[in-house]
């Protein structure tokens, strides 16, 4: 005796925001339905006791969008995703994305030849509506970089709070002339870390001009070092640097030493992420520690909940950060 049907075709169509005709095409293995949507509906049909016209392979593949492969931060996050994926018997595929786009067809094209059951994105999205449309088709979790929305799932940290605390630490240690070295603002984390920096300066009556924030489009050590080396030559009153990544902070350290600054006596430097580099360079970096592995691990666990329908409420999970104080401050 077959499994008793526990849902109607109409209710399954409603769950996937499609017509009953689309569900019927999947049930009868006919017609043109995108592979990702077909996989999702097939899983629901089988879970509810329906027999597909011909055997359809259920995927166990999740895809991870990454903005680049060079950022050491991403390596630890991916390790966390991979660990959780193995425990859930999921296969993980990593796909690099280009600069944020408002075209959902671009994201769908990245997975058109892959039978995917879920997406984790470390890459920034430019619009919450894009994520919502993608999530309607394939369960999606934003990881680390995110756009906040109550109807979208994410795992990250409170970037604004972490940046505020790091900046205030510099100010409370007596620093008066601070600069912020960060990524361009197409990265949502950069927007929030800049907000935390500016809020801390304002609350402590520290003046900040446009020239005190240096933007870089890529996390490139040599480029940041070159520009900061020149900046410190023509701005000799800087006594603190808050950088939105440890790579930026390491480049700032080299530039400061090259300009005969004593660290931390003349200038204090704080980075962000606590990658291995921060404890290797000399002087070692004070930095904001992100639980990178846990961010990745929890992202996959949250995605698994969404895939298994064990949680129909979108979740926003924020993990704690800590300021690791070392020699640079």
């Amino acid at each position: 005796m077959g499994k008793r049907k526990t849902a109607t075709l109409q209710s399954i169509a409603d769950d996937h925001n499609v017509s009953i005709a689309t569900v019927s095409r999947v049930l009868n293995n006919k017609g043109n339905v995108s592979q990702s949507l077909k996989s999702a509906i097939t899983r629901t049909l089988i879970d509810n006791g329906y027999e597909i016209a011909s055997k359809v392979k259920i995927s166990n593949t999740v895809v991870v969008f990454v903005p680049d492969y060079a950022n050491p931060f991403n390596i630890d996050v991916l390790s966390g995703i991979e660990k959780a994926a193995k425990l859930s018997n999921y296969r993980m595929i990593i796909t690099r994305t280009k600069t944020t786009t408002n075209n959902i067809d671009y994201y769908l094209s990245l997975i058109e030849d892959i039978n995917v059951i879920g997406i984790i994105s470390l890459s920034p999205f430019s619009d919450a509506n894009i994520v919502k449309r993608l999530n309607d088709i394939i369960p999606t979790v934003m990881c680390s970089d995110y756009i906040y929305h109550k109807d979208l799932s994410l795992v990250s940290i409170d970037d604004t709070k972490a940046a505020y605390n790091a900046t205030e630490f510099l100010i409370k240690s007596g620093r008066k002339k601070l600069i912020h070295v960060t990524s361009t603002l197409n990265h949502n984390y950069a927007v929030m870390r800049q907000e935390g920096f500016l809020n801390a300066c304002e609350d402590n009556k520290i003046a900040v001009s446009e020239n005190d924030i240096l933007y870089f489009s890529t996390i490139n050590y040599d480029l940041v070092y070159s520009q900061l080396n020149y900046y410190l030559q023509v701005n000799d009153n800087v006594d603190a640097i808050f950088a939105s990544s440890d790579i930026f902070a390491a480049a700032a350290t080299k530039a400061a030493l090259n300009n005969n600054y004593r660290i931390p006596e003349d200038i204090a430097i704080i980075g962000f992420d606590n990658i291995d580099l921060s404890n290797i360079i000399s002087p070692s970096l004070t930095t904001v520690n992100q639980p990178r592995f846990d961010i990745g691990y929890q992202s996959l666990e949250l995605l698994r909940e969404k895939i298994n329908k064990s949680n129909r409420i979108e979740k926003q999970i924020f993990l704690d950060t800590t300021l690791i104080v070392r020699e640079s401050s």
Side-chain angles (χ1 to χ4, degrees):
M1 181 180 293
K3 179 181 176 182
R4 181 181 178 185
K5 297 178 177 63
T6 58
T8 67
L9 294 184
Q10 184 62 63
S11 66
I12 292 173
D14 292 341
D15 285 345
H16 290 278
N17 294 318
V18 297
S19 67
I20 193 170
T22 299
V23 175
S24 179
R25 285 197 295 271
V26 175
L27 179 63
N28 294 292
N29 201 18
K30 296 179 179 179
N32 183 23
V33 181
S34 71
Q35 184 60 55
S36 55
L37 183 57
K38 184 177 182 180
S39 177
I41 295 174
T42 297
R43 180 178 291 277
T44 303
L45 286 167
I46 292 175
D47 287 347
N48 285 280
Y50 290 87
E51 294 182 5
I52 311 302
S54 62
K55 186 177 181 181
V56 177
K57 182 179 180 181
I58 302 300
S59 171
N60 68 338
T61 301
V62 297
V63 67
V64 183
F65 293 158
V66 296
D68 63 72
Y69 299 127
N71 188 347
F73 171 83
N74 292 337
I75 296 173
D76 291 332
V77 176
L78 291 171
S79 294
I81 297 173
E82 182 181 32
K83 176 67 174 180
K86 286 182 177 179
L87 292 175
S88 297
N89 293 315
Y90 288 163
R91 178 176 174 234
M92 183 178 85
I93 294 178
I94 302 171
T95 301
R96 184 176 180 179
T97 62
K98 64 182 182 182
T99 305
T100 54
T101 174
N102 286 319
N103 186 352
I104 190 173
D105 291 336
Y106 166 73
Y107 293 105
L108 294 176
S109 72
L110 296 175
I111 56 174
E112 63 182 355
D113 295 325
I114 311 170
N115 192 9
V116 173
I117 58 172
I119 295 170
I120 294 175
S121 183
L122 281 69
S123 298
F125 290 100
S126 58
D127 190 325
N129 287 327
I130 294 294
V131 194
K132 290 172 70 176
R133 291 174 63 193
L134 192 60
N135 188 48
D136 286 342
I137 300 171
I138 306 170
T140 300
V141 172
M142 290 177 286
C143 176
S144 184
D145 206 341
Y146 67 92
I147 298 175
Y148 184 85
H149 194 286
K150 65 181 180 62
D151 294 326
L152 295 173
S153 290
L154 65 94
V155 180
S156 190
I157 62 167
D158 187 335
D159 288 278
T160 304
K161 180 181 177 181
Y164 185 102
N165 291 340
T167 304
E168 190 168 61
F169 178 87
L170 291 169
I171 296 170
K172 295 300 184 183
S173 68
R175 310 296 167 162
K176 301 295 185 183
K177 180 59 177 177
L178 289 75
I179 66 171
H180 182 39
V181 183
T182 188
S183 300
T184 48
L185 299 184
N186 61 308
H187 294 278
N188 300 305
Y189 74 82
V191 174
M192 290 180 282
R193 291 175 196 178
Q194 176 178 295
E195 180 182 2
F197 171 79
L198 292 174
N199 288 346
C201 289
E202 181 179 359
D203 289 349
N204 288 277
K205 298 179 172 54
I206 299 294
V208 178
S209 71
E210 291 182 359
N211 293 331
D212 296 329
I213 303 180
L214 283 66
Y215 300 102
F216 295 90
S217 59
T218 60
I219 298 180
N220 184 305
Y221 176 92
D222 292 329
L223 175 63
V224 177
Y225 165 70
S226 177
Q227 293 198 28
L228 274 177
N229 190 49
Y230 175 75
Y231 184 92
L232 293 176
Q233 289 174 13
V234 298
N235 296 274
D236 59 4
N237 60 339
V238 176
D239 62 8
I241 299 174
F242 170 54
S244 66
S245 83
D246 288 336
I247 300 294
F248 289 164
T253 298
K254 182 179 178 181
L257 293 173
N258 191 60
N259 283 278
N260 298 316
Y261 282 84
R262 296 173 301 161
I263 303 173
E265 293 85 356
D266 301 327
I267 190 168
I269 301 171
I270 292 182
F272 210 107
D273 292 337
N274 194 31
I275 62 175
D276 291 342
L277 173 68
S278 63
N279 201 29
I280 294 173
I281 67 169
S282 181
S284 57
L285 278 176
T286 294
T287 184
V288 176
N289 179 60
Q290 286 201 68
R292 302 177 301 282
F293 182 92
D294 292 340
I295 288 173
Y297 192 98
Q298 289 299 321
S299 294
L300 194 285
E301 286 292 285
L302 181 53
L303 182 64
R304 181 176 59 80
E305 286 185 13
K306 289 166 64 68
I307 292 170
N308 293 337
K309 307 294 186 187
S310 58
N311 172 39
R312 293 182 178 271
I313 300 174
E314 303 288 344
K315 289 183 179 180
Q316 299 82 40
I317 300 172
F318 293 94
L319 303 182
D320 291 335
T321 62
T322 53
L323 184 65
I324 308 296
V325 180
R326 297 195 181 103
E327 297 169 342
S328 68
S329 65

